[in-house]
């Protein structure tokens, strides 16, 4: 356990400023994320050095398709989340606190970095599985040490974070995989217990910083699958973040508190077509499909990266990530 950052004291309570919930927490109580607790007037980050999973994963699993394609990344997760998505695929770790999950184990920041450097093919560390915003202090300490070892840092996030910690994270993060769950405040409120605007601000801040980022949109049957709303979201992405923004359209399957049927392939294919009219790099995830897997040069249409499941083959890029056929810049980060 460690004293948290980003809080103030208010008459014996503490106010956490890590995410837009800005929870006011009484003594012996926790915030909405269940992992930040007022202990005797101090805000404690209970997830400090507490992990639920450590795995070497393909970077494509985060998903990041334009950041060191085909490479491995050491992935670390803990417990808790500041959102309560009814479709959460990781609810067993995201909707619990440290004393509600029996498989947590203690590991120091140094040990995590040592594991990450133990495999020479590994490019860095991803903070993922549950929402890393809620274990910000632990993530920041690992990331700073990882950076000093020339490892890359990747944050897989819902984007519901306050501007100050987000700005601080830009100092040590190299890339972000951000969920944009819908383009509708009602959806965010009813289905995730949060709101949309801070997520849009997060995306704009990351874009402005020049750091790499990719967006994932999970399309849920009868919930956020209105084509007009989707088109509005795509227009916003193209205008505010640029047509070169990488978008992963992901298939939903019933889980946790959502029982709507799996997203029909026809919907995903339609959304793929709609997004591809405005954005250069659109992919389909959670789906066996020939469409939306490979990367094609937006300029000359040559296939430059071929993907089969998590098997990634760079087929048409030169050493600096340009299209071999027409020299168009496609990937800024590759080995
Ligand atoms: S990080 Fe947790 S405690 Fe802090 S404001 Fe967000 S939900 Fe509340
Ligand atoms: S933000 Fe992610 S981890 Fe958190 S509840 Fe939603 S889907 Fe689960």
């Amino acid at each position: 356990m460690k004293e948290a950052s980003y809080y103030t004291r208010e008459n014996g309570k503490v106010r956490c400023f890590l995410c837009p919930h800005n929870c006011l927490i009484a003594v012996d109580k926790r915030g909405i994320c269940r992992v930040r607790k007022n202990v005797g007037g101090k805000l404690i980050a209970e997830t400090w050095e507490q992990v639920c999973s450590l795995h070497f994963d393909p970077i494509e699993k985060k998903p990041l398709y334009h950041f060191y394609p085909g490479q491995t990344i050491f992935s670390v997760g803990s417990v808790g989340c500041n959102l309560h998505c009814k479709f959460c695929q990781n609810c067993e770790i995201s909707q619990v606190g440290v004393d509600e999950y029996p498989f947590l184990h203690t590991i120091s920041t140094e040990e995590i970095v040592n594991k990450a450097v133990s495999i020479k093919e590994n490019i860095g560390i991803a903070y993922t599985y549950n929402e890393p915003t809620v274990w910000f202090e632990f993530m920041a300490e690992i990331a700073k040490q990882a950076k000093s070892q020339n490892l890359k840092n990747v944050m897989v996030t819902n984007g519901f974070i306050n501007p100050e910690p987000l700005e601080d994270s830009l100092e040590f993060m190299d890339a972000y995989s951000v969920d944009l769950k819908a383009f509708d405040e009602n959806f965010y409120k009813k289905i995730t217990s949060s709101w949309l605007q801070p997520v849009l601000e997060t995306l704009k801040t990351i874009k402005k910083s020049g750091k790499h980022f990719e967006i994932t949109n999970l399309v849920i049957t009868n919930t956020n699958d209105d084509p007009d709303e989707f088109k509005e979201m795509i227009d916003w992405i193209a205008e505010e973040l640029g047509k070169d923004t990488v978008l992963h359209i992901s298939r939903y399957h019933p889980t946790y508190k959502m029982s709507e049927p799996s997203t029909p392939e026809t919907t995903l294919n339609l959304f793929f077509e709609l997004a591809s009219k405005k954005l250069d790099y659109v992919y389909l995830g959670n789906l066996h499909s020939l469409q939306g897997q490979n990367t094609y040069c937006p300029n000359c249409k040559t296939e430059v990266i071929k993907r089969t499941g998590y098997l990634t083959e760079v087929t048409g890029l030169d050493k600096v990530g340009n299209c071999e056929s027409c020299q168009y810049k496609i990937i800024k980060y590759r080995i």
Side-chain angles (χ1 to χ4, degrees), residues 313-325:
E313 199 188 341
V314 176
T315 50
L317 291 176
D318 66 15
K319 287 205 167 70
V320 291
N322 296 340
C323 172
E324 270 179 346
S325 303

Side-chain angles (χ1 to χ4, degrees), residues 60 63-66 177 214-218 246-250 281-285:
E60 283 72 19
L64 287 179
Y65 278 16
H66 287 223
S177 172
E214 301 185 19
I215 297 176
T216 297
N217 175 238
L218 181 79
V246 179
L247 175 69
H248 301 265
I249 300 170
S250 190
Y281 306 110
V282 183
Y283 301 104
L284 289 175

